[in-house]
Amino acid sequence: MSADEARAMLAQLSGWTLSDDGKTLCQDFRFKDYYQTMAFVNAVAWIAHREDHHPDLEVGYNHCLVHYSTHAIGGLSENDFICAAKIDALLSSNSPA
């Protein structure tokens, strides 16, 4: 995926950023406590399993940094953006009205 294509797809996501080299899509999600963080991590693991596309996760007490990249091609693919959008949908479905 070209840098221009990645930027165009990035515009459809909420809060995600591209790495300086344009090969990784990431976002640091913040939570109230460890329990909420781990619930999020488990939900992301479920999405990853269903999509057969697994992000790198860095987990702390009240945050989880999610990195998507398609290692087989050494950069970003459409699937990275699809999975990021599914995480966005997961969080927006749990937001209070």
Side-chain angles (χ1 to χ4, degrees):
M1 172 175 294
S2 73
D4 288 339
E5 290 171 320
R7 280 190 291 277
M9 293 188 81
L10 181 65
Q12 300 175 41
L13 299 173
S14 177
W16 292 83
T17 60
L18 293 174
S19 61
D20 290 339
D21 63 5
K23 294 183 178 186
T24 305
L25 180 63
C26 61
Q27 183 169 175
D28 194 8
F29 293 90
R30 297 285 171 169
F31 301 96
K32 179 179 156 188
D33 55 31
Y34 189 72
Y35 177 79
Q36 288 184 359
T37 303
M38 293 312 296
F40 172 77
V41 167
N42 287 327
V44 170
W46 184 83
I47 291 169
H49 176 72
R50 297 282 300 184
E51 293 297 316
D52 195 25
H53 194 61
H54 304 87
D56 292 328
L57 303 174
E58 295 177 35
V59 179
Y61 173 79
N62 65 347
H63 75 100
C64 179
L65 181 58
V66 179
H67 299 270
Y68 272 109
S69 185
T70 302
H71 302 288
I73 63 170
L76 291 169
S77 69
E78 184 177 5
N79 204 24
D80 296 305
F81 290 89
I82 290 169
C83 290
K86 288 187 179 216
I87 291 173
D88 284 351
L90 167 77
L91 292 173
S92 68
S93 69
N94 289 328
S95 299

